């Protein structure tokens, strides 16, 4: 079972066996969606223009869209939604995120989510580190509750 990502049966990765294929996604990095049904995220100008891209699922529709318009749909993520979008991904990591990564990936200051982070800490769901935050054991078990607290 080397390299598996089944967090239910093994919540802590074995040394040297961490699943890395979703790491860029979880760190709110950019990725291209290529092909039918693909999704992508592109940071054009932070925080004003972070785009989500979606390609049609059905190959015929996908090819037809390419013939008509070139590529799939793209829509900007509203600035008010950036904290939630970031936390939706970053809080899946046991080590959480750094303030530097939050700033770099969203273009926002940590002050924009300080109230929610402090509430998460008070509820025992988040742990503050010198350089950022990570979910507690309880926060990992109630991850949806923790993530939703960052909704606009």
């Amino acid at each position: 079972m080397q390299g598996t990502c089944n967090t239910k049966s093994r919540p802590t990765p074995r040394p040297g066996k961490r699943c890395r294929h979703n790491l860029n996604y979880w760190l709110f990095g950019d990725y291209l969606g290529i092909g039918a049904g693909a999704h992508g995220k592109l940071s054009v100008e932070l925080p004003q223009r972070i785009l989500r891209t979606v390609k049609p699922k059905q190959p015929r529709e996908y090819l037809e869209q390419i013939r008509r318009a070139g590529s799939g749909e793209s829509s900007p993520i509203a600035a008010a939604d950036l904290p939630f979008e970031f936390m939706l991904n970053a809080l899946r990591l046991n080590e959480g995120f750094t303030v530097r990564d939050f700033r770099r990936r969203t273009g926002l200051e940590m002050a924009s989510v300080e109230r929610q982070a402090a509430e998460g800490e008070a509820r025992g769901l988040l742990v503050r580190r010198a350089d950022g935050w990570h979910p507690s054991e309880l926060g990992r078990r109630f991850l949806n509750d923790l993530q939703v607290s960052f909704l606009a």
Side-chain angles (χ1 to χ4, degrees), residues 20-144:
R20 294 182 299 221
H21 74 276
N22 282 332
L23 194 54
N24 181 57
Y25 173 77
W26 291 332
L27 290 172
F28 205 54
D30 290 344
Y31 52 96
L32 294 174
I34 300 172
H39 292 247
K41 178 192 158 276
L42 302 171
S43 300
V44 181
E45 297 173 27
L46 295 174
Q48 300 87 355
R49 301 266 304 166
I50 297 178
L51 303 174
R52 290 271 185 217
T53 62
V54 179
K55 311 288 190 212
K57 287 183 184 180
Q58 298 302 317
R60 269 195 198 112
E61 292 172 33
Y62 171 72
L63 291 172
E64 182 58 34
Q65 186 175 55
I66 288 175
R67 283 188 207 103
R68 282 192 326 263
S71 65
E73 294 180 26
S74 67
S75 58
I77 299 172
D81 295 335
L82 285 174
F84 173 71
E85 290 270 348
F86 180 86
M87 298 301 175
L88 186 64
N89 297 293
L91 292 175
R92 294 175 191 227
L93 298 168
N94 288 340
E95 67 271 15
F97 63 93
T98 65
V99 170
R100 178 178 174 262
D101 281 339
F102 179 79
R103 284 187 196 129
R104 192 171 47 128
R105 301 289 184 164
T106 66
L108 302 172
E109 292 299 320
M110 196 63 202
S112 65
V113 294
E114 191 62 41
R115 179 185 55 78
Q116 295 95 321
E119 287 173 8
E121 183 178 32
R123 292 172 56 204
L125 302 174
L126 269 180
V127 177
R128 186 186 306 254
R129 301 188 316 248
D131 65 342
W133 295 87
H134 67 87
S136 66
E137 179 69 31
L138 183 65
R140 285 193 298 274
R141 282 190 275 141
F142 293 95
L143 187 58
N144 289 345

